[in-house]
Amino acid sequence: QVQLVESGGGLVQAGGSLRLSCAASGLSFSSYGMAWFRQAPGKEREFVSAISYSGTSSNYADSVKGRFTIARDNAKNTVYLQMNSLKPEDTAVYYCAAASAVYGAARSSSYYTYWGQGTQVTVSS
């Protein structure tokens, strides 16, 4: 059974930082591209960042480029999202997702097979 478990969310002031983690089990982690998506209240889920199975390729949404960094540790079956210079508009539930390695660091949610339950990030102004 595949499980993706996010952690690291919380309440932070604008300008602060958080690091999200997503621990994967039940799959061959190094054979999957990983991504972070987010969904704010009343809005559709949106792409945040993705990283290829090997970690050599990554993508970012324009809204987070230069502030967020995605990384993975295949030995620990974990993907991370370092979030700096947080803004109130970053407030959302953040989800990690896994896609077959053939899709690289895909931006579209349609490529992702497995999803975590999400972790809440709240940025106060």
Side-chain angles (χ1 to χ4, degrees), residues 20 33-37 47-52 55 57-60 64 67-73 78-83 96-97 105 112:
L20 304 184
M34 300 297 295
W36 290 94
F37 291 80
F47 170 77
V48 176
S49 183
I51 189 166
S52 62
S57 177
S58 60
N59 282 314
Y60 295 91
V64 307
R67 299 188 298 122
F68 291 11
T69 302
I70 193 169
R72 66 187 296 157
D73 185 337
T78 301
V79 62
Y80 305 97
L81 185 68
Q82 178 67 43
M83 305 186 296
C96 73
Y112 291 87

Side-chain angles (χ1 to χ4, degrees), residues 1-7 21-27 29 32-39 44-50 79 93-100 103 106-119:
Q1 180 182 359
V2 175
Q3 281 193 314
L4 301 178
V5 180
E6 302 95 337
S7 62
S21 299
C22 172
S25 61
L27 76 170
F29 184 73
Y32 284 81
M34 300 297 295
W36 290 94
F37 291 80
R38 68 186 182 187
Q39 187 167 19
E44 293 187 353
R45 183 172 55 191
E46 65 174 358
F47 170 77
V48 176
S49 183
V79 62
V93 177
Y94 283 70
Y95 300 91
C96 73
S100 172
Y103 299 123
R107 293 175 176 266
S108 172
S109 62
S110 62
Y111 292 111
Y112 291 87
T113 305
Y114 303 110
W115 293 82
Q117 292 299 307
T119 185

